[in-house]
Amino acid sequence: MADRGLRPKPKSLGFMATPLVQSLIERLILVIFTIWTGLTISFLVTRLSPRNPAEQVLSRIQGAGVFMRPEEIEAMRRTVMGLFGLDKPLWEQYISFLQSVLTFKFGPSLLNFPVPANDIISLYMPWTIFLLLTATIISWIIGVVVGIVMGIWEHKKAVKILEYTFITIFPLPYVVLAIAFLIIFVGILRIYIGVTIVPTFTLSLETLSAMFSRAWLPALSIIVLSIINWAMGSLALARTAKREPHVFYAMVRGIPTNLLLKRYIGKNVLILQVTALALSLGGIFGGALATEYIFNYPGLGTLLYNSIVTNDFNTMLGIITYSILGVTIASFVIDMVYPFIDPRVRYGGGE
Amino acid sequence: MEEVNRMARHLDLKISLAVVIALVMYSVIVPQITPYDPRLWNVVPRDKPPSLQYPFGTTSMGQDVFIVTAWALRNSLVLGTIAAAMLVLIAFTIGSIAGGTKNSIVRAILTYLIDSFCVIPFLPILILIASLWRERLGIIGTASIIALLGWGGQSRNIRSVIMGLRERTFTYTAIFSGYGTLKLIYKSYLPYIVRWLSIAFLFGIIFCIGLETTLSVFGITSLENPTIGTVIFWTREYQAYLRGLWWWYTFPLIFFIVFLASMYVIIRRLVARFIEGER
């Protein structure tokens, strides 16, 4: 660790770029490539599907009892195929998909034909953000504090018991926990958890309270599991911090626990957990598929699930695009801000 | 007193090992000694609470919970193990090349491939693929898809482990004392990496079992062959929570939770012993 500062600086790109600008440009290029690859993989997977969304629109129109002559059906098929861009060869579809990502116009939704997919997404987006933002922030604050406190008094009996409780729940897949919540709250306690409300978002008290009445149980299930996640992470970090010589020296010297908590261990843990928080905040734009599906919450996750099972590829790719953008941009921002938080890290340092 | 102390040392590890072995034996032996195929429906009376004849009760589909749980646990275990093995193999191949190569172009390409697989929203794509080919995906198919899509995170870890090894002092010592690259890898790195990989493999089992359970709860794996996830799916489908059929979900869930927790305790002990160097 100590010799890291002594290593020769990596050779710069030749011209007069400062390390900041240079690493900014390098990272930005990498981010764009990463986003592109993620989008391409997602696009290819949707086109692998043998099902044709245009046929489904047609059969729905015909199912409504509209009588059409065969040539009319043929003309209609061509129009609908054209609307979804499915009549073109694959590479043209791919290019128009990339264009749609740049302009955020993903074409008509199949599930709610002919409303544009983007309108539907923006309708559900506030619900997901409300649920996940509150759940993530609350669980982060509680979890990190609990983890640090556990790390400091790690030999107390109560802490040991708490840790083993956490160990039991931690490896569980989220769905199992969510179903346990449903069993407890709905099956045993018979608590009313609200019905699906058509999500039209206006910034009013009414909407917010409607959101809250739907969101509290799913949020609670996320919070419980995430608190354990954050606490276990912070506990491990606190233990590592305790083993560092300067912290150990401070403990031997007998500094007040308060100071140990704040300056010696708290700081070390917080540095890493702040970045982890930023990463998980970047992850909320994809919606919480499992949560929203199990609790039937009207958000992006439910929309995504419905669009997957009905082959609504435009909506699906739209949500996936937001999700990829959220994650990559968050990690890019962290990389750029990190040297300000942690002076041990430099731009362009290491490999 | 010393005897007691030695017995109490790593008590959680010993208990967990015993639990895991017991559960594996239960899941292997019980399906072997049943007179009928555990996948069949309507072989016993429906909705019977636990009794002497059916120690864990029966389901609404006419299955003995005791046997279904064993079979489901077995399937989940097999799937998790296969998926984890493939996942660790892919992750190790790509991660070790990305971390170890001297060719900067190869390194850049692989690193960015790893990054891309870390950002694709994993669950939606998995659900799409599983829902498209559900009929044809058996246990091995589901396992390979999980492995093919999920290797990103592990690969990133392995890459940084290898990069860390290259920077360690003992590497330089070995090189200066005349070790060749191959000898360096076999003598110095392999013991370390093998420990690391076996821990990654055990973690992978937990991860893959969890994913399969998630997929099954969505109802998009083949539902006739029970895994723990499909058991949960059917209890939801038959409204077992509202109808008070507590034995149907309680026993499989308890076994599942106990198994995962024990696995996790073992992993934590292994990490503490081999990675962090605790005595």
Side-chain angles (χ1 to χ4, degrees), chain B residues 102-123:
Chain B
K102 292 199 174 75
N103 186 334
S104 62
I105 296 171
V106 173
R107 187 175 58 218
I109 290 175
L110 288 181
T111 306
Y112 124 81
L113 193 70
I114 294 171
D115 280 353
S116 312
F117 267 86
C118 287
V119 302
I120 35 174
F122 179 54
L123 196 56

Side-chain angles (χ1 to χ4, degrees), chain B residues 105-154:
Chain B
I105 296 171
V106 173
R107 187 175 58 218
I109 290 175
L110 288 181
T111 306
Y112 124 81
L113 193 70
I114 294 171
D115 280 353
S116 312
F117 267 86
C118 287
V119 302
I120 35 174
F122 179 54
L123 196 56
I125 292 188
L126 201 60
I127 288 175
L128 176 69
I129 294 180
S131 72
L132 287 179
W133 291 293
R134 146 169 57 182
E135 297 82 13
R136 269 170 281 164
L137 283 178
I139 284 182
I140 300 213
T142 315
S144 13
I145 286 178
I146 290 176
L148 275 178
L149 284 170
W151 54 269
Q154 288 279 19

